[in-house]
Amino acid sequence: MHPFRKAVEAGDLSAVEEMLADDVVFTSPVAFKPYPGKAITAAILRGVSRVFTDFRYVREIAGADGRDHALVFTAKVGDKELNGCDFLHFDEDGRIDDLMVMVRPLSAAHALSEAMGAQFERISREAAEAMDDRA
């Protein structure tokens, strides 16, 4: 089992954050522009953990060189069931420098967009506080 999967399934968001490179780029399934940086990526992942219910990984796919990994998942947002995939890329130091998430179907993506939109003030505040703590 991949360490990222293990940490996510255990709800260990601190361990997940430790796996992120400082310059990680998060590409959301519902936002047009990617989010650069560890602080905002970690805050978004915490927000997702508050929004998703019945989350579970169902499949892992690893690239031959070990620097790419895909984790297929299922979850619910409200009463909408979704399927998704976390695409991870690792830098030379073994940290995640690219995290792209895809979800389907469209109705669940809309539900996710609304639920995360409701979280975004808190997510932005958490990211700003983390940036202040690092400064």
Side-chain angles (χ1 to χ4, degrees), residues 23-104:
D23 63 348
V24 64
V25 175
F26 177 79
T27 304
S28 165
V30 297
F32 178 72
K33 289 174 52 176
Y35 296 94
K38 185 174 185 172
I40 190 67
T41 300
I44 289 168
L45 294 175
R46 286 190 299 273
V48 169
S49 74
R50 294 186 292 266
V51 167
F52 279 168
T53 59
D54 299 333
F55 180 90
R56 66 187 180 96
Y57 285 114
V58 296
R59 189 168 159 201
E60 292 187 40
I61 305 163
D65 67 359
R67 292 187 64 185
D68 290 289
H69 213 80
L71 297 166
V72 180
F73 63 86
T74 62
K76 285 185 178 179
V77 177
D79 64 346
K80 301 288 184 191
E81 294 184 18
L82 63 84
N83 305 104
C85 190
D86 293 334
F87 295 95
L88 311 172
H89 182 269
F90 296 86
D91 66 15
E92 302 81 29
D93 298 322
R95 300 234 186 269
I96 298 166
D97 64 359
D98 188 67
L99 171 53
M100 178 174 59
V101 181
M102 302 270 209
V103 298
R104 65 159 305 278

